[in-house]
Structures are given as structure tokens and as C-alpha cells.
Amino acid sequence: MAPSKDIESFRALLRSSKNIIAVAGAGLSAGSGIPTFRGNGGMWRKYDALSLATPEGFAQSPSLVWQFYHYRRETALAAKPNKAHRALSFFSLPAVRNQIAPNSTFTLITQNVDGLSVRSDQEVAAEHPELIHSQQATSQPAMLEMHGRLFDLLCTDSECQHIEFNTKSPICEALAGTEELIENKVTDPNIELEDLPRCSKCGALGRPGVVWFGEQPHHLNVIDELVANADLCLVVGTSSTVYPAASYAQEVKGHGGKVAVFNLERSKGDSKADYLFLGPCEETLPKALGLSLSADGNISIETSA
């Protein structure tokens, strides 16, 4: 049976769901101007993932890798959370969610490293303190960044291993302006190691704080428990090709839960979804959740399609 596109039916499912997770990928941030990695115009179609997103690639050419991640940092710093980010931020607040899915829990499991979901949460909290103050303490995390953070700087010295959050632009003077070269698939191979980002604690070479191919994602034990207990999985802006995240919807489906997919175009696993909403997720996700978000930051909740 083909996945349903019926919003009213989906909202009825939401109302009956108790343990909800969202698994988000690059498509969540596409509406904010952050390039995706696969599909038309995806970054891995332009660049070699193995040379830019593996420990081996970094060891071979830290200058090339840092130019690419400087480009990503500058792109993320210039971007703003879109309505899909904000919809998830509002939905994560019990004061809002209990009007949509009474007595439910929710965690966003994001593969994104751009920090836009975190910034969205912070903006919503600042704009609507009344929604935050009404919350009861809970041990369940509202968000898990399983692939790390673009703005973390990790020390490569095995004895130091210092981690710091760094949003400096540029992160070091030698990288200034190289984002324009990356746009044109040109790099400057002559940046010396001593001029690349360094650990502020010991002075060793730093690396981007993201999980590269071949490395273990963060929070796996917590995520596994959330997936095992979930009765509804929202798949938002991901092609479901990178594991282990690609398996989470299937696991929820396997133990009797439901799956709703929000993607710009068809992707792997769509045929097994219970609901499929195609289009920009900054449009489809708020609508499906029944959230009307105005330009001035206000929110209203719809009870029917």
C-alpha cells in the first residue's frame, strides 16, 4: 500500500502517539541555504567525501579538509533557522506538544552539524519564555546531535583531547577568504600546519568536531533506547543512506510503530512509510504538525486540516 498523504489522518495519529522521535538530515537545513550532500547539487557530488570527511583524509591533507570545513562554518554562520527548525523547536516544548499529542515525549535525533536546530531552540526560548517556564523537568533529551558539532574544535593530541566551542569567523586568519575558492572547487594547498586552527590548551593541531566516516556517532546507547520505545518516527530531510540513522525508521516500523517521511523528493525507504509528505520540509512539516508560524515569531496551533 502506498504511503498516505492525508494530513487529517496524520494528525489523528499524532494525537494518539506517546513516544515520538524525529530523525533529521541535511534536508532540514536546505531551506536555510545549507547545501545537502546527496541528490541534485549535493556536496558529495562536487567533492570527494573520502578526502574531506575521514580521519585518513585529514591526516593526508589537513589544509584541504580545513578549507572545506571553514567554508561550511561560514555558510552555517550566515544561515538562519527556517520554519522546519522552528516547528521542531515548538513541538519539543510540552506546553505546545501536549495540545497536539497529549502526554507524549519527543526527541530530535539530528545528523546535522550546522547548529541551526540548537539556535532555533534558543530563539524560541528567548521569544516565548512563558512556554519554557511551564515545563516540568525531564530526563529525556530534547535533542541529540549524533554527528557532532561543526563549531567544536577538537585537539588531535591523544593526551590532551581538549574540546572547545568556537564560532570565531574566520577560525584562523590563514583560512580567511578560502570559502570563495571552495565555491569554485579551487583550494590553496600552501597553508602551513602551524597556521591552521590550534588547540587553545596545548597548541596542537585542531580538527573539526564532526563525526567522520569510519567514526562512531555520539549518544548511540541513548538513541537505541529511544528508537526501541518509539511509536512514531518522523523522518525529516534525510535520504536514509547513512547508518545507523538510516535504520531507525525501519526499527520503529519493525516493532509496530508508525513512520512519516518529510522530504523534498523520493528517497530510499519511502515505500515502507505510513505517511509521505513531499516538498520543502519548512512548508510540509509545520502544516502536518498543525503549527502556523508567523514571520514575527508567533505561533498558533490548528486542530484540523
Side-chain angles (χ1 to χ4, degrees), residues 85-107:
H85 293 112
R86 291 180 64 83
L88 290 170
S89 294
F90 277 114
F91 191 72
S92 72
L93 302 177
V96 174
R97 189 175 63 257
N98 283 334
Q99 299 180 59
I100 302 168
N103 303 313
S104 63
T105 64
F106 175 73
T107 296

Side-chain angles (χ1 to χ4, degrees), residues 49-305:
L50 295 181
S51 66
L52 297 170
T54 64
E56 295 78 14
F58 184 72
Q60 181 175 353
S61 182
S63 173
L64 173 63
V65 172
W66 260 118
Q67 288 175 67
F68 179 68
Y69 280 91
H70 166 71
Y71 161 71
R72 293 188 63 190
R73 284 169 57 94
E74 295 301 302
T75 301
L77 285 171
K80 296 181 179 180
N82 61 56
K83 287 187 176 182
H85 293 112
R86 291 180 64 83
L88 290 170
S89 294
F90 277 114
F91 191 72
S92 72
L93 302 177
V96 174
R97 189 175 63 257
N98 283 334
Q99 299 180 59
I100 302 168
N103 303 313
S104 63
T105 64
F106 175 73
T107 296
L108 168 61
I109 302 167
T110 182
Q111 301 170 80
N112 294 340
V113 298
D114 53 41
L116 289 179
S117 289
V118 176
R119 283 165 54 188
S120 176
D121 283 359
Q122 293 170 342
E123 291 174 4
V124 167
E127 295 165 2
H128 297 275
E130 75 284 358
L131 298 177
I132 306 301
H133 294 159
S134 64
Q135 287 188 194
Q136 293 183 343
T138 175
S139 60
Q140 180 166 326
M143 183 192 311
L144 294 170
E145 296 172 284
M146 66 180 299
H147 287 170
R149 303 195 300 182
L150 185 60
F151 297 102
D152 276 347
L153 179 66
L154 310 186
C155 180
T156 59
D157 188 299
S158 60
E159 295 185 2
C160 178
Q161 297 184 325
H162 179 62
I163 304 174
E164 66 179 60
F165 187 71
N166 184 321
T167 57
K168 184 180 177 182
S169 174
I171 190 172
C172 68
E173 290 304 318
L175 289 170
T178 61
E179 64 273 20
E180 297 177 5
L181 300 177
I182 288 289
E183 284 278 10
N184 296 310
K185 294 186 64 177
V186 178
T187 58
D188 181 355
N190 299 317
I191 301 177
E192 300 294 336
L193 279 181
E194 57 265 27
D195 295 326
L196 293 172
R198 316 298 295 188
C199 172
S200 63
K201 186 176 181 180
C202 75
L205 178 66
R207 57 157 278 187
V210 301
V211 175
W212 282 329
F213 294 106
E215 296 180 328
Q216 180 169 295
H218 302 319
H219 315 296
L220 288 185
N221 290 339
V222 177
I223 292 172
D224 286 345
E225 184 175 352
L226 291 170
V227 171
N229 292 325
D231 55 6
L232 174 60
C233 177
L234 311 179
V235 178
V236 184
T238 175
S239 57
S240 297
T241 55
V242 177
Y243 286 83
S247 68
Y248 294 152
Q250 183 177 351
E251 290 178 40
V252 172
K253 185 81 170 177
H255 64 245
K258 301 295 184 181
V259 174
V261 173
F262 299 82
N263 268 334
L264 184 61
E265 55 193 13
R266 295 300 301 259
S267 64
K268 182 180 179 181
D270 283 354
S271 60
K272 298 180 181 179
D274 298 283
Y275 292 87
L276 175 62
F277 300 103
L278 295 179
C281 59
E282 62 270 22
E283 298 175 6
T284 59
L285 185 61
K287 183 177 181 180
L289 294 177
L291 298 174
S292 180
L293 309 176
S294 64
D296 59 6
N298 289 323
I299 175 179
S300 61
I301 301 172
E302 305 171 16
T303 58
S304 61

Side-chain angles (χ1 to χ4, degrees), residues 36-49 68 185 265:
T36 58
F37 291 92
R38 294 171 180 82
N40 295 329
M43 295 182 81
W44 293 149
R45 291 178 179 266
K46 297 179 182 179
Y47 303 103
D48 178 10
F68 179 68
K185 294 186 64 177
E265 55 193 13

